[in-house]
Amino acid sequence: MTRTWTPGSADEALTAIAGTPRLVIALDFDGTASPLVDEPMAARALPEVKTQLDRLAALPDTFIAYVSGRSMNDLQEISEHTADSLVALAGSHGAQYWFPGVGDADVPEVPAAEGALDALWAAAQPIVDRHENVRLERKTFGMGIHTRLATPEAETAAFAEIDAMMAERFPHWRRRAGHRVLEFSSRAEGKDAAIHALRGHYDATGIVFAGDDVTDEDAMRVLQPGDLGVRVGPGESAATLRVENPQQMAALLGALVAERAAGRE
């Protein structure tokens, strides 16, 4: 049962995870660290979220990561990534990684058939063009169809046409549906893979994972006893706690850093 966390309130699950020896805090980006925005590349983490993540990263044995469906290049841009960043990045739903002090981490290649991406985009673009305010995002391993500015009728029609095209031409590609977005990828990884990778890389004894969308539930479902899942916004979830929006996510991170710092004095 997911329970609502109120800023300023104590919570036993938050207190417990704050005391774990080696802690990873992994956040989805869009809708979690950043408010949802109409132009995807305009997304930026809230200043108050960045402040709390910086405070957490300064604590011993405490590691920060963004886990996103964005391709690595786009995730680096919207997260304002720098070469000396202390924030790990997991892009393309766990098919791409960057770690502080390491750089890009190798992930076993699962190449699509030669020319498949170009063929995919070429088939999708005329569909997108037929529907007002529907947008095609070209990704490293596939595509996203964004409808945040479109009417519900345009979204329904565009998604139906895309689904029919994919069923005919790319039936084995992984399909993901989220908030006003439909994604397809030649890679099968989900955010569950990112949680496993972060746990192994940092030898974590506990993970806080926060997300707002359907794809984030892949990660929520593989959290272990002693981890903590946080759902941002409405919707069914396997998370333990729920906050209303990224602003409350910042408040929860502030509570986490206060408890973790106090426990290490």
Side-chain angles (χ1 to χ4, degrees):
M1 179 71 70
T2 305
R3 61 181 182 272
T4 299
W5 181 81
T6 303
S9 66
D11 188 276
E12 60 183 12
L14 194 63
T15 298
I17 194 69
T20 197
R22 292 180 63 82
L23 175 62
V24 169
I25 299 99
L27 304 185
D28 170 50
F29 197 87
D30 297 282
T32 300
S34 165
L36 294 173
V37 295
D38 292 337
E39 171 48 55
M41 292 311 298
R44 294 293 184 273
L46 287 176
E48 53 264 46
V49 168
K50 292 176 65 175
T51 294
Q52 300 307 334
L53 291 179
D54 287 344
R55 293 177 66 202
L56 283 161
L59 295 176
D61 298 317
T62 308
F63 311 97
I64 311 302
Y66 286 129
V67 178
S68 175
R70 302 274 199 138
S71 296
M72 181 59 73
N73 287 343
D74 286 355
L75 179 57
Q76 289 177 332
E77 180 174 340
I78 64 174
S79 67
E80 301 175 287
H81 171 84
T82 59
D84 60 352
S85 175
L86 296 178
V87 179
L89 302 177
S92 298
H93 296 280
Q96 297 177 293
Y97 295 92
W98 184 94
F99 290 107
V102 175
D104 294 326
D106 291 334
V107 176
E109 287 289 337
V110 184
E114 185 176 355
L117 275 176
D118 288 336
L120 173 75
W121 299 332
Q125 192 66 60
I127 298 173
V128 168
D129 291 344
R130 282 197 291 274
H131 300 282
E132 188 174 1
N133 291 325
V134 176
R135 176 180 173 275
L136 170 66
E137 178 190 4
R138 301 183 179 200
K139 295 193 169 192
T140 304
F141 300 110
M143 68 178 182
I145 308 299
H146 294 270
T147 59
R148 202 163 292 158
L149 295 176
T151 65
E153 294 77 14
E155 176 183 89
T156 297
F159 284 178
E161 288 191 52
I162 290 290
D163 275 331
M165 182 273 289
M166 293 300 297
E168 178 182 353
R169 300 191 56 181
F170 303 90
H172 303 300
W173 287 43
R174 180 165 178 171
R175 180 186 191 275
R176 298 180 178 91
H179 294 320
R180 310 302 302 273
V181 62
L182 181 62
E183 299 183 23
F184 290 90
S185 176
S186 63
R187 299 289 294 250
E189 291 94 342
K191 292 185 180 181
D192 49 333
I195 294 299
H196 293 313
L198 291 167
R199 194 185 304 278
H201 182 82
Y202 288 113
D203 194 23
T205 57
I207 293 179
V208 174
F209 175 75
D212 74 308
D213 210 342
V214 176
T215 57
D216 297 310
E217 293 302 307
D218 290 339
M220 297 292 186
R221 286 189 286 268
V222 298
L223 294 178
Q224 299 178 2
D227 295 339
L228 177 63
V230 182
R231 175 77 177 204
V232 182
E236 292 187 11
S237 181
T240 299
L241 299 180
R242 184 188 306 276
V243 296
E244 291 184 1
N245 49 42
Q247 289 80 5
Q248 284 197 2
M249 187 68 231
L252 186 146
L253 292 171
L256 177 62
V257 72
E259 293 226 29
R260 189 159 176 81
R264 291 173 178 268
E265 291 177 350

